[in-house]
Amino acid sequence: MAIKSPPVESLAQHLSKVLMDRRKLAKLEVDFIPQSRAKWEKILNDRTTDREQAENAINACYLYAGIDRARILWTENPLTAMKILIDRPDLVDVGSKILHQISDSCDRQIEQQIAPEFIHVVKAYANPRSQVVGEQQKMAFDLLGDFLNQILIYEIQKSYPQLDPTLLPATIQDYRIAYLSYFDYFHQIGIDIPQIQLLVDLARSCGCCWAFENITILTPKPSAIEFNDRGELIALVYDGINILD
């Protein structure tokens, strides 16, 4: 009786098995998580606006997403920007396309290479605005960022009580920029996602950013963010003025 040879794997079959066997993080990589968190705490606390870096970063984001670069408009603060947006329903939002183009490509690279339980650990502990709650290690990803966005919408609705906040386009990055720490961490340990640097540069250099066809609206970072003893936001200061007052 003839002995059958074992089936020969094609390269595609071999690679598919390798990708299914996603690796754990090495101890040195786990030990790097607090350093990544500290880096992003520093970014979030930095009140410096770099207009040239912000404009270069947003132009590069447009190009990465295959969109023609737009005219850039700086406004004094996010409330001023939102009032402009309310009066410009004709603007075509491309921010979501830019975000998805960058973040989806980063997610794919990470998920192909890193075991899911380790991805979850990095999301929870590299982000200075995330909280791990309870015995089940449920993660509240960015309570502070969500709270700040609600405050801004509340302030806008004082002047525009009939406003449907769901009609306001999303920013590319705003007070929730801390989620970038997740991608940035994996980029720093060697996952090939250089495109995330575009959003990191944007986060470092400005406050809010709305991207549309033909126009981009940017705001500087606030000069101060203040909370009361109950942890409630009481001040977003621009040019010496608390825009929440």
Side-chain angles (χ1 to χ4, degrees):
M1 183 174 65
I3 300 175
K4 292 184 178 180
S5 300
V8 177
E9 280 189 327
S10 69
L11 178 59
Q13 289 171 324
H14 175 71
L15 288 177
S16 68
K17 287 175 62 178
V18 171
L19 291 179
M20 289 299 293
D21 186 21
R22 290 169 287 183
R23 72 176 181 85
K24 301 177 180 179
L25 294 180
K27 183 181 184 303
L28 285 175
E29 294 170 331
V30 173
D31 290 344
F32 180 65
I33 292 176
Q35 292 175 247
S36 179
R37 185 183 184 96
K39 170 185 175 179
W40 279 89
E41 284 177 343
K42 185 176 181 180
I43 291 173
L44 290 169
N45 291 325
D46 183 9
R47 305 268 59 90
T48 305
T49 298
D50 185 332
R51 293 195 176 206
E52 182 178 1
Q53 184 182 57
E55 291 180 10
N56 288 339
I58 190 60
N59 284 336
C61 285
Y62 272 75
L63 292 175
Y64 182 83
I67 305 169
D68 291 338
R69 289 188 297 180
R71 179 172 68 91
I72 295 174
L73 171 66
W74 285 87
T75 64
E76 57 188 359
N77 61 57
L79 291 182
T80 302
M82 285 187 176
K83 289 174 182 176
I84 292 173
L85 297 180
I86 290 169
D87 294 330
R88 291 295 308 273
D90 58 303
L91 294 176
V92 178
D93 178 35
V94 296
S96 296
K97 179 178 179 180
I98 290 172
L99 268 182
H100 289 153
Q101 192 96 356
I102 295 175
S103 62
D104 289 355
S105 63
C106 292
D107 271 328
R108 282 195 299 272
Q109 284 290 89
I110 294 167
E111 290 168 2
Q112 285 177 349
Q113 299 181 53
I114 305 296
E117 61 269 26
F118 286 89
I119 294 176
H120 181 79
V121 166
V122 174
K123 283 183 176 180
Y125 291 101
N127 180 347
R129 284 187 174 164
S130 67
Q131 297 178 18
V132 180
V133 184
E135 294 179 359
Q136 300 302 315
Q137 297 289 287
K138 292 181 179 178
M139 184 176 63
F141 193 53
D142 191 0
L143 294 175
L144 177 59
D146 291 339
F147 178 60
L148 287 167
N149 287 319
Q150 290 168 13
I151 290 290
L152 287 175
I153 290 172
Y154 172 73
E155 292 299 321
I156 280 287
Q157 286 182 312
K158 287 181 180 178
S159 300
Y160 300 88
Q162 303 304 315
L163 172 68
D164 179 358
T166 63
L167 298 178
L168 291 173
T171 60
I172 283 187
Q173 57 86 14
D174 50 25
Y175 295 105
R176 294 174 292 176
I177 62 172
Y179 82 91
L180 293 176
S181 59
Y182 153 58
F183 293 127
D184 186 44
Y185 167 85
F186 284 111
H187 180 49
Q188 295 302 317
I189 67 167
I191 303 295
D192 186 23
I193 47 173
Q195 64 272 31
I196 198 55
Q197 193 63 44
L198 305 178
L199 294 181
V200 172
D201 289 346
L202 198 62
R204 283 181 179 276
S205 56
C206 68
C208 297
C209 173
W210 289 267
F212 304 96
E213 290 182 355
N214 304 320
I215 189 169
T216 305
I217 300 176
L218 297 173
T219 72
K221 293 182 179 181
S223 56
I225 299 177
E226 299 176 12
F227 299 86
N228 61 21
D229 56 5
R230 297 188 299 276
E232 298 167 336
L233 181 69
I234 58 174
L236 279 174
V237 180
Y238 287 84
D239 295 327
I241 299 172
N242 178 12
I243 65 172
L244 303 185
D245 189 355

